[in-house]
Amino acid sequence: MSSSLKKFYVIAWVFGLVFYFLDYVIRSAPAVMLPLLASQFKTNNLDLVWMIGTYYYTYSTCSLLAGIALDKFGGKKSLFAGTLILGIGALLFLISSQFAGISGRLLQGAGCAFAFPGCVYLASKGFSSKSLATAIGFTQCLGMLGGASGQFLVGPWVESGMDINTFWLWSGIFTIITAFALYFVIPKEDSEPEEETHSKKLGYFETYKIVFKNPQSWLCGLISGLLFAPTTIFAMTWAVAFFETDKQFAFHDAAVTSGMVAFGWVFGCPLLGFITDKIGRRKPVLVGGAILMILSLLQLAFLPELFSAKLTMFILGVGSGAAMIPYSVIKEANPDFVKGSATGAINFITFGVTTLVSPVFSHYFGKSLGLSDADIHFQNSVIFWIAGIILAISVSFLLKETGRKAVEI
């Protein structure tokens, strides 16, 4: 690919980051407006959390479709379709019915499934392999900045009396505008490298056969899912309620504290990506980030006076940036001509883990919120996440090192 075309893909990647930013704003915003959404959709908080969680049903399954679409049809049509679907899903939240709420959240998950794989697809065309992990880390950085905005900014707006319909209306409009911008900015893929031509000659699901037959793909998804869960389920869904009920935080403090995890990702994702590119190894940084997550959670639960909860949640977010490292590993452990499917596969496995873990956490800890000793309840909920992180570290020892230095050896 010519250097000039690569530059166009870098520009397209920047527009893709806008899509990914909006993805996380829309994904995380419901956490700071639970009572208002419960009134909007005429339901209770527990059922509402289930409704919000349906996002991950379509997100995980449509990740597979996103991978196929990127490998078969390229970035232009795939990213346009995904962004448009997300915008429609946001607009459906304007309708006061449970059916509209569930439908909107399902469409939001389906549309968002195209965001990260699409950005990685564009980054893989615009950046060299030596800087790919850094680019992926920066991509997730922008996503988490959106996640932080969905709590830091939207929380105070809601607290000051903003109509949530205003938020969903403008979110939908901006997302649809981004869809058309992506369509016109992404280069048309007329001349394709040999490996991409090979990909298009394969059947629709044959690229996934290649990826899923590789045990390393499953290990990458499981590790990433276990490291993602404390942020996607706890920080972005339950944390505000837990800090309000178990820790007696005011709503504003609870929203800001939970949002610090996403803010930590803003720094942690590019930082850990840069470190793993710099040292040429993936696994040491992966394990180091997971250990940092464990230490921060232990301090939050058992030594809360040592650091402020905001600082601890920020550190947790920095460490959880390690969840992005398997996204580099799976691309390096599979052929180049299935790069779109590889990203779709890890998204499917990662958020499949989230989909399975979310109702378990809700059943054992969400239902009992406010019904038992607050300190013990909070500590037990934290131990739940620590156990998952320990499992991720254990599985990582089965992962093959794919970093530059391992390949050189």
Side-chain angles (χ1 to χ4, degrees):
M1 184 184 298
S2 66
S3 59
S4 60
L5 187 56
K6 279 181 174 289
K7 290 179 181 178
F8 280 114
Y9 272 108
V10 171
I11 295 171
W13 171 72
V14 172
F15 277 84
L17 295 181
V18 177
F19 175 21
Y20 197 42
F21 178 88
L22 292 169
D23 162 357
Y24 262 95
V25 170
I26 291 170
R27 182 188 307 196
S28 63
V32 297
M33 54 178 74
L34 290 179
L36 295 174
L37 284 175
S39 175
Q40 171 92 343
F41 299 128
K42 300 176 178 62
T43 187
N44 57 60
N45 276 356
L46 194 61
D47 287 342
L48 178 63
V49 169
W50 171 81
M51 181 187 297
I52 292 170
T54 59
Y55 171 100
Y56 295 106
Y57 297 164
T58 47
Y59 186 94
S60 57
T61 53
C62 288
S63 292
L64 296 177
L65 298 178
I68 292 174
L70 287 164
D71 282 334
K72 298 297 179 183
F73 307 113
K76 181 183 285 284
K77 294 179 181 178
S78 302
L79 283 166
F80 172 74
T83 315
L84 187 63
I85 290 169
L86 173 59
I88 294 170
L91 292 177
L92 280 175
F93 262 38
L94 296 171
I95 303 173
S96 298
S97 76
Q98 290 188 31
F99 178 78
I102 294 172
S103 300
R105 199 59 175 166
L106 290 171
L107 285 179
Q108 290 167 26
C112 287
F114 287 78
F116 187 74
C119 287
V120 172
Y121 179 88
L122 296 174
S124 66
K125 288 176 172 291
F127 295 91
S128 68
S129 59
K130 291 182 179 179
S131 57
L132 181 59
T134 304
I136 291 175
F138 190 77
T139 298
Q140 192 62 29
C141 159
L142 261 291
M144 282 299 129
L145 188 59
S149 299
Q151 294 180 310
F152 277 129
L153 297 181
V154 179
W157 289 345
V158 170
E159 190 179 23
S160 64
M162 180 191 74
D163 185 353
I164 60 172
N165 283 340
T166 301
F167 168 79
W168 292 110
L169 173 64
W170 285 107
S171 295
I173 290 173
F174 280 130
T175 305
I176 292 172
I177 291 173
T178 303
F180 284 95
L182 280 166
Y183 186 81
F184 289 110
V185 168
I186 297 174
K188 187 176 181 180
E189 298 168 278
D190 291 325
S191 57
E192 297 157 345
E194 182 180 346
E195 65 270 14
E196 291 186 25
T197 303
H198 182 20
S199 171
K200 288 176 170 55
K201 287 180 179 177
L202 294 173
Y204 281 104
F205 291 97
E206 288 182 35
T207 53
Y208 278 117
K209 287 182 182 179
I210 295 170
V211 176
F212 283 124
K213 280 184 178 179
N214 185 349
Q216 294 295 301
S217 300
W218 291 96
L219 296 177
C220 287
L222 179 58
I223 294 167
S224 185
L226 291 169
L227 296 181
F228 253 120
T231 59
T232 54
I233 301 173
F234 181 64
M236 292 188 176
T237 304
W238 281 107
V240 174
F242 270 70
F243 281 122
E244 277 191 292
T245 305
D246 284 348
K247 294 295 184 180
Q248 298 299 302
F249 284 16
F251 171 80
H252 176 77
D253 288 338
V256 172
T257 302
S258 64
M260 289 301 290
V261 171
F263 193 53
W265 270 75
V266 172
F267 293 90
C269 290
L271 175 63
L272 297 185
F274 173 78
I275 293 173
T276 188
D277 276 340
K278 192 71 174 177
I279 68 174
R281 294 188 180 276
R282 310 302 192 199
K283 292 174 64 175
V285 184
L286 173 63
V287 173
I291 291 173
L292 183 61
M293 291 178 69
I294 292 173
L295 294 176
S296 60
L297 286 170
L298 286 172
Q299 183 268 312
L300 180 68
F302 298 99
L303 295 171
E305 303 300 324
L306 187 61
F307 300 115
S308 69
K310 293 182 179 66
L311 176 59
T312 303
M313 294 293 276
F314 174 80
I315 295 172
L316 173 64
V318 172
S320 64
M324 295 312 303
I325 295 175
Y327 279 76
S328 296
V329 176
I330 194 171
K331 290 177 67 61
E332 294 161 340
N334 285 285
D336 286 342
F337 61 84
V338 294
K339 53 181 172 284
S341 295
T343 308
I346 191 172
N347 253 3
F348 170 74
I349 301 169
T350 296
F351 289 95
V353 172
T354 300
T355 302
L356 293 174
V357 172
S358 181
V360 175
F361 181 80
S362 298
H363 177 77
Y364 286 102
F365 301 102
K367 281 186 177 180
S368 57
L369 187 62
L371 301 178
S372 58
D373 182 273
D375 286 335
I376 294 176
H377 180 267
F378 191 83
Q379 289 170 357
N380 288 340
S381 67
V382 167
I383 290 172
F384 177 88
W385 300 119
I386 290 175
I389 298 169
I390 292 173
L391 178 58
I393 293 174
S394 302
V395 174
S396 71
F397 291 115
L398 302 175
L399 200 63
K400 292 179 181 178
E401 179 61 70
T402 61
R404 184 182 70 257
K405 289 192 175 178
V407 174
E408 288 174 357
I409 295 173

